[in-house]
Amino acid sequence: GGPRVGFQCPDNGIHVLDGEQAQMPINVAGEFPVEVQYHKVGDASDHVHTATIRRKPQQQSSSQLASVIAYGPGEYELLAASDICAGTIDAQRARCSVHVEAKPSAWFVTDSLRRDSNDAHDTGIWRLHESCEGAALHSAFELGLSGSGPWKIDYRVDYWATGNARSGVPSFTDRTITHSLVVLQTSTLKPECCEPGLYRYTLLSVRDERYQKPQMLLAAHEAVAAEAGVTVVEHLITKSPLAELRAYSPDGTPLDTSSSSRGSFRRQPRSIKHCLAPGQSKSDGDAQTWAKLHKYLPVFRIEFEPSGKAPFQAWVEVFPASGPSEVVHLEDIAGYSQPITLPDHVASQIGRYHMRLVRTRDARGCEHQFVDPSEVGLGRADHGSAAIAGGIEIEYIEAPNARPASASPAANPSRNVCVGDVLAFELRGLNSWNVDYSYNSARRSTSVTKRLFRRIADVPGNFTLERVCHRAANECCSEFDDLSYAVHDIPRVLVSGGKDVYQDILEGDMVDIRLDLVGAPPFTFTWQRRSIDGAKVLESHTVKDLDVFSYTISAASEGTFEVTFVQDRYCQYPKA
């Protein structure tokens, strides 16, 4: 009889990779060559394929194992076999199935993802719930997988920084990195950490145990089939609410003009000295007066970067001039800049105190920790421990003052003094001053370390104490408009034109002695007649309220005539 043929296929058929040509094993017994006819079951064209099986070299047996080509996946059936004679088909092995292994695939499962149409950064792509800068990431992208594991996935991460105006536009990324991930079973992809900005994750290719060559994945942010799902997702990391403390003078001028980066942690605090005019500091227990004087104090503001979302909260630690620190909680900060209202007992005294940001939080719940929680309450200056780190160090300095010393001619309310007077002023404030004054339009400055400032009025003219400044804070000064003095010369009397005159008097005659007065009337003076030897005062007379500049004494007795006291409107000689 003729040949006998039958497939030698495994029970589950032949499995090949996509693109590979399958060879179906067939057992042939007969006289070679043997012609075999077969077709694909269910093929609409009903095409019959023919294969000629030839004897293998050095094959002596009448049967051998050969193969025929499968033209695509499906079930094939043997139809006929013949050599010289028609043969038979093994009915038990007449059919063979060919299967193409599915290509591996990977996609993002969107069950835990969302879209936020209210987000200004929204690109319409599925997103993981946004995270806060610096916060631990507790979520990840869940991956869907098909194929035969383990899988190796290549993916790309595109990053746009927070300040990038073209966020989400592919050609304007700030950074692009490609990664590989090996997955044994259903797995997750951990998001990048921790710079704030938009991260886009694109699955590029996948390979598995069967397909060692990477299988490219279609970039899609919508699922197009059950196993051709979303391959592009995003994650937004929100910038933490950065802020800084600023100090302004009451007129809005910044007291700290140094450049800074908000949120940067400076180990040394910014030092600000603020000068309060005399009387602007709080006297002990005088809260009412202090409340009225708030308008003279610096205005402290907390200023947020616009990347955060209002309303904000802030925790500010304040170290008073004395005593323990206190943390002030500021709530419902509606804008990006807001004044800080501190309790009166926190900042109510002349002296130095410190203020620093501890923590901020925005409406998203994102926080920025400026100070390690373990350090809060430490570093108080009055306890002699480590310097307070970061923030603002402000010192209220009361401007120096100068008042005439009570026993000094400078205390004369009329502000008229005399040549030879010592003008003395009591200085108040820190124990070192710069004093500016003018004398007859000549401006002078001197350093003083004692609390009493003295100057001798040595020539007639005008003396003005203009300004006193603290040497330690030279911009903290007081200017005066009520410490200007007229310095007057000492009044004088010229007897007989200022010459020594010796004149004999006959008995019964009289001699006129002329006195010329120099000064500002009215004058008061005392003249005396002494014995010729000067040992005895024979007579003494005081002339008061003389409005003219000369006076005549008519003398009929011998003696020495002299003026012992003279006083004009401002001065006298000798001094009292």
Side-chain angles (χ1 to χ4, degrees):
R4 182 178 175 84
V5 297
F7 284 121
Q8 290 289 103
C9 291
D11 292 342
N12 61 347
I14 304 295
H15 292 262
V16 295
L17 302 182
D18 186 39
E20 291 183 350
Q21 193 171 57
Q23 299 284 337
M24 295 180 288
I26 186 173
N27 187 50
V28 180
E31 295 292 330
F32 296 94
V34 176
E35 187 176 272
V36 177
Q37 292 180 334
Y38 61 100
H39 76 139
K40 183 188 289 187
V41 177
D43 187 0
S45 67
D46 202 24
H47 180 74
V48 176
H49 303 280
T50 301
T52 300
I53 309 300
R54 300 184 184 278
R55 185 186 297 276
K56 293 179 180 180
Q58 301 178 348
Q59 178 73 33
Q60 301 298 324
S61 173
S62 60
S63 67
Q64 68 178 34
L65 187 64
S67 63
V68 294
I69 297 174
Y71 297 92
E75 186 178 30
Y76 291 82
E77 182 181 22
L78 294 172
L79 299 175
S82 63
D83 47 15
I84 299 173
C85 302
T88 59
I89 304 298
D90 186 345
Q92 298 298 320
R93 298 184 179 277
R95 293 193 175 194
C96 181
S97 297
V98 174
H99 306 278
V100 175
E101 295 286 359
K103 292 183 178 180
S105 185
W107 62 92
F108 292 106
V109 178
T110 59
D111 294 350
S112 60
L113 305 182
R114 64 182 180 88
R115 285 190 175 108
D116 188 356
S117 58
N118 295 322
D119 190 343
H121 300 280
D122 185 40
T123 56
I125 298 176
W126 287 98
R127 283 188 182 173
L128 193 66
H129 193 281
E130 68 183 43
S131 304
C132 298
E133 178 186 9
L137 296 177
H138 299 292
S139 55
F141 295 108
E142 184 180 351
L143 292 175
L145 298 166
S146 67
S148 179
W151 295 263
K152 183 177 181 181
I153 301 171
D154 293 330
Y155 66 97
R156 184 182 70 241
V157 181
D158 296 313
Y159 168 71
W160 293 266
T162 298
N164 191 332
R166 301 290 188 92
S167 181
V169 180
S171 56
F172 290 91
T173 59
D174 291 289
R175 184 173 65 242
T176 296
I177 301 177
T178 301
H179 300 278
S180 293
L181 175 69
V182 175
V183 180
L184 297 178
Q185 296 177 346
T186 301
S187 185
T188 58
L189 188 153
K190 187 176 180 180
E192 295 277 319
C193 173
C194 297
E195 295 178 67
L198 178 65
Y199 294 81
R200 181 174 295 165
Y201 299 82
T202 303
L203 301 180
L204 301 175
S205 65
V206 60
R207 67 188 81 176
D208 67 357
E209 181 70 19
R210 296 190 180 97
Y211 285 83
Q212 296 298 309
K213 182 179 179 181
Q215 303 299 305
M216 306 308 293
L217 299 172
L218 176 67
H221 60 266
E222 293 288 356
V224 295
E227 294 186 355
V230 172
T231 57
V232 181
V233 292
E234 292 179 343
H235 182 216
L236 182 64
I237 297 182
T238 303
K239 198 169 185 180
S240 63
L242 298 181
E244 68 174 348
L245 299 177
R246 298 295 306 274
Y248 295 88
S249 63
D251 64 1
T253 303
L255 295 177
D256 173 37
T257 56
S258 61
S259 60
S260 67
S261 173
R262 291 191 178 99
S264 62
F265 184 73
R266 281 176 278 195
R267 296 304 302 178
Q268 294 300 322
R270 290 168 288 170
S271 183
I272 298 170
K273 295 182 185 292
H274 184 72
C275 184
L276 293 174
Q280 290 180 356
S281 61
K282 180 179 178 181
S283 56
D284 291 341
D286 191 1
Q288 252 184 338
T289 302
W290 179 254
K292 295 177 182 178
L293 294 173
H294 268 187
K295 62 183 179 180
Y296 299 107
L297 300 179
V299 177
F300 298 104
R301 303 186 73 90
I302 182 169
E303 298 182 355
F304 287 87
E305 285 192 350
S307 56
K309 185 176 181 180
F312 299 96
Q313 297 182 64
W315 288 260
V316 179
E317 186 177 20
V318 183
F319 298 79
S322 61
S325 69
E326 178 177 340
V327 175
V328 179
H329 183 197
L330 307 173
E331 299 183 87
D332 297 324
I333 303 173
Y336 293 109
S337 177
Q338 178 168 303
I340 299 174
T341 301
L342 298 176
D344 283 347
H345 71 277
V346 172
S348 59
Q349 301 288 347
I350 292 296
R352 178 181 302 175
Y353 71 95
H354 306 259
M355 183 165 46
R356 67 179 178 182
L357 272 174
V358 174
R359 180 162 52 107
T360 54
R361 179 187 297 160
D362 69 1
R364 296 185 179 97
C366 293
E367 292 190 355
H368 189 88
Q369 192 79 36
F370 294 85
V371 179
D372 190 311
S374 64
E375 294 183 8
V376 176
L378 302 180
R380 291 192 291 273
D382 54 318
H383 285 188
S385 53
I388 299 171
I392 291 177
E393 174 185 282
I394 186 159
E395 183 175 5
Y396 284 150
I397 303 172
E398 187 171 22
N401 200 3
R403 301 317 304 163
S406 58
S408 168
N412 184 351
S414 70
R415 298 299 188 250
N416 291 299
V417 297
C418 304
V419 170
D421 283 347
V422 177
L423 304 181
F425 302 89
E426 292 179 355
L427 302 182
R428 299 171 186 174
L430 303 179
N431 287 332
S432 184
W433 302 267
N434 287 328
V435 179
D436 296 339
Y437 66 95
S438 63
Y439 201 162
N440 289 342
S441 301
R443 303 178 71 88
R444 295 166 186 165
S445 182
T446 186
S447 297
V448 181
T449 56
K450 296 182 179 180
R451 290 192 172 273
L452 203 60
F453 170 65
R454 295 184 178 93
R455 276 298 176 268
I456 296 176
D458 52 0
V459 294
N462 290 286
F463 176 93
T464 301
L465 185 65
E466 297 179 342
R467 187 172 73 159
V468 177
C469 301
H470 286 306
R471 291 184 66 188
N474 200 40
E475 293 182 358
C476 192
C477 305
S478 290
E479 296 185 354
F480 308 99
D481 55 11
D482 63 340
L483 298 181
S484 192
Y485 298 84
V487 182
H488 302 278
D489 206 353
I490 301 298
R492 292 174 293 151
V493 179
L494 301 178
V495 180
S496 298
K499 300 177 182 179
D500 292 334
V501 177
Y502 300 93
Q503 187 173 345
D504 293 329
I505 303 176
L506 298 177
E507 188 176 350
D509 288 345
M510 297 191 70
V511 176
D512 290 335
I513 301 172
R514 178 183 173 86
L515 304 180
D516 294 311
L517 293 97
V518 179
F523 296 98
T524 296
F525 63 91
T526 300
W527 63 269
Q528 294 178 346
R529 181 174 65 87
R530 291 178 172 271
S531 59
I532 295 298
D533 60 6
K536 185 177 181 181
V537 176
L538 302 176
E539 61 178 309
S540 177
H541 302 276
T542 297
V543 179
K544 295 182 179 180
D545 300 327
L546 181 67
D547 290 324
V548 295
F549 292 91
S550 64
Y551 184 81
T552 301
I553 301 172
S554 296
S557 303
E558 70 174 5
T560 300
F561 293 82
E562 64 178 353
V563 176
T564 59
F565 172 80
V566 60
Q567 177 182 352
D568 67 358
R569 182 186 298 274
Y570 304 108
C571 305
Q572 69 178 46
Y573 181 85
K575 290 182 176 293

